[in-house]
Amino acid sequence: MKKLGITFIFLVLIYIQAFTQSGYTPAEENLKNREWFQDAKFGMFIHWGVYSVMAGGGDYGIAEWIMNEKQIPIKAYENLANFFNPVAFDAAEWVAAAKAAGMKYITITSKHHDGFAMFDSKVSDWDIVERTPYGKDVLRMLKEECDRQGIKLFFYHSQLDWHHPDYYPRGRTGQGYTGRPESGNWGRYIDYMNAQLTELLTNYGDIGGIWFDGMWDQWDADWQLDKTYALIHKLQPGALIGSNHHKMPYPGEDFQMFERDLPGENTMGFNQGGISELPLEMCETMNGSWGYNIKDRRFKSTKELIQTMVKAAGYGANFLLNNGPMPNGKLQPENVDTLKVIGKWLGKYGETYYGTTRGPVSPRSWGATTRRGNTVYVHIMDLPDEYVFLPELRQKIESVKLFEDQSNLKYSQNNMGTIITVPFVKRNDIDTIVVINLKE
Ligand code: H79
């Protein structure tokens, strides 16, 4: 009887596993890429499309959403493509700026919610090659340059589509103004999306992965994730799939992202999911906008960005920092300056960041910890005391030094944890780093 019970539990467990993973076992190269991704830590997000031409239309907080926010019907919105002529676009410059910042990958919008393909699509003419005077496939140009400079390229792809007639029934957005017919074939839309994804996964060599967004537009729709994810993993088993649905990852996803919030936080009001065991990534804007907004001058300081980047690392999360290039093809000069400062900081302190995992103490109001093997890095950002307390850190310690000058720091341990003296005179404004070497 007992044996039967155990067999039954065993079968249930197998069933649950098969059910929750939908049969997905990541390929070896996928697992390798996950590791690469976690070690790489820092990437550049790029929001660029025909909406960039409108530069927010004089409003804060509007950029790539302008079609929806200003209720611009498709026929009128399509005119924008006629003015998208980024003659100053230089892929080498973008990739060099990313590299100078210490970034290891770029995630660019292949299609945002307006449905416009920033690549040469054969299944739609709503794309950069067919509709703009520029007429060139910028994704191809960027990919070639990324290959040259050793940067991985990911594609952001919106599942939500305000332009395609078959995106029907419609969700919470894109209602009532677009001029689309009040009918459509959802299955055909999914086929269309999969056809564009097939183009992206076959015509651009090896890509880093696909960054989905937009499922939150309608939860009840039949997104057929299994089909789309299986297609991607079949075409490029190593490509990492993530989706910005703000929930716990679905089967078939390879990493989890958090939009403008540290993992587990929900200041934005839509990050309601928990934290999974998959590789994590937090994305953040330089000002308050993703796409180019001419009025948005609320640029975050390099101090704030570096501290957020390090705190994300304290959760084990990557940092995907956005750029909204201008319609002429140039990155915003303010952003280029910021990237240089971050790059300089990483040039000096990168050892405490790249290739680390989350540290033994989860992020605190004073900072965060990261770790590589037996080395723990304590990042002190805002500590009003001369002492930092690391609860639960009871492992035997080999040495405690200040990263900056390798000077030894005083410490003591008891059964509650470790206390380290970090003199005020040794502090710097952004991140004072203490290096703890633990005994084997
Ligand atoms: O691409 C960038 C944004 O355009 C996109 N994601 C980043 C990376 C984005 N779209 N929306 N949001 C971010 C915020 C989401 C707002 C939501 Fe809602 C709140 C979605 C669901 C509730 C607003 C209200 C939109 C639908 C209802």
Side-chain angles (χ1 to χ4, degrees), residues 166-355:
D166 283 322
Y167 186 88
Y168 188 91
R170 287 189 271 279
R172 298 193 253 190
T173 66
Q175 290 276 10
Y177 64 89
T178 62
R180 284 180 296 189
E182 288 308 317
S183 62
N185 183 325
W186 181 262
R188 224 162 41 201
Y189 171 71
I190 296 293
D191 290 346
Y192 164 75
M193 187 177 72
N194 289 343
Q196 285 205 324
L197 288 166
T198 302
E199 294 179 325
L200 290 168
L201 285 145
T202 44
N203 299 338
Y204 299 85
D206 274 355
I207 64 153
I210 302 288
W211 206 106
F212 284 111
D213 198 2
M215 259 181 79
W216 39 258
D217 189 50
Q218 40 182 333
W219 288 115
D220 299 336
D222 181 14
W223 289 105
Q224 301 178 33
L225 293 186
D226 277 351
K227 195 171 158 192
T228 299
Y229 291 176
L231 171 75
I232 295 169
H233 285 139
K234 183 177 75 120
L235 292 171
Q236 290 199 25
L240 304 180
I241 296 176
S243 179
N244 188 31
H245 43 54
H246 314 141
K247 299 194 171 185
M248 282 297 267
Y250 288 97
E253 292 171 9
D254 303 301
F255 68 104
Q256 181 184 8
M257 66 271 272
F258 301 85
E259 179 175 336
R260 302 189 65 187
D261 260 325
L262 287 162
E265 289 189 356
N266 186 17
T267 62
M268 297 300 288
F270 48 70
N271 289 317
Q272 277 129 20
I275 306 176
S276 74
E277 287 302 311
L278 293 177
L280 311 175
E281 182 192 64
M282 169 195 183
C283 57
E284 184 57 284
T285 50
M286 288 263 200
N287 45 13
S289 315
W290 296 102
Y292 177 54
N293 181 303
I294 201 167
K295 206 174 168 186
D296 191 347
R297 312 288 303 166
R298 298 164 296 181
F299 296 110
K300 296 179 182 84
S301 66
T302 46
K303 174 180 168 177
E304 186 179 350
L305 291 170
I306 290 169
Q307 291 189 335
T308 307
M309 173 178 86
V310 172
K311 278 202 177 176
Y315 286 100
N318 286 16
F319 194 54
L320 185 64
L321 181 57
N322 184 65
N323 279 263
M326 301 183 290
N328 68 350
K330 289 276 183 204
L331 297 174
Q332 297 180 55
E334 297 85 354
N335 294 357
V336 175
D337 289 346
T338 302
L339 293 175
K340 278 189 197 142
V341 178
I342 297 176
K344 213 168 145 209
W345 188 90
L346 279 167
K348 193 163 170 197
Y349 302 106
E351 183 190 323
T352 72
Y353 176 69
Y354 297 116

Side-chain angles (χ1 to χ4, degrees), residues 355-420:
T356 62
T357 56
R358 63 169 182 256
V361 178
S362 63
R364 294 285 191 270
S365 59
W366 53 258
T369 67
T370 55
R371 155 176 223 154
R372 189 188 305 98
N374 281 320
T375 307
V376 172
Y377 301 101
V378 185
H379 299 265
I380 298 165
M381 300 169 199
D382 184 15
L383 179 68
D385 309 308
E386 284 228 288
Y387 312 95
V388 65
F389 175 56
L390 305 172
E392 310 294 326
L393 193 85
R394 286 183 291 254
Q395 262 173 285
K396 287 229 163 69
I397 286 176
E398 184 83 47
S399 66
V400 179
K401 290 177 193 290
L402 195 74
F403 182 87
E404 196 75 32
D405 61 7
Q406 294 298 305
S407 61
N408 285 310
L409 297 177
K410 286 189 202 140
Y411 69 92
S412 72
Q413 284 187 298
N414 61 27
N415 60 0
M416 288 183 281
T418 302
I419 298 175
I420 302 169

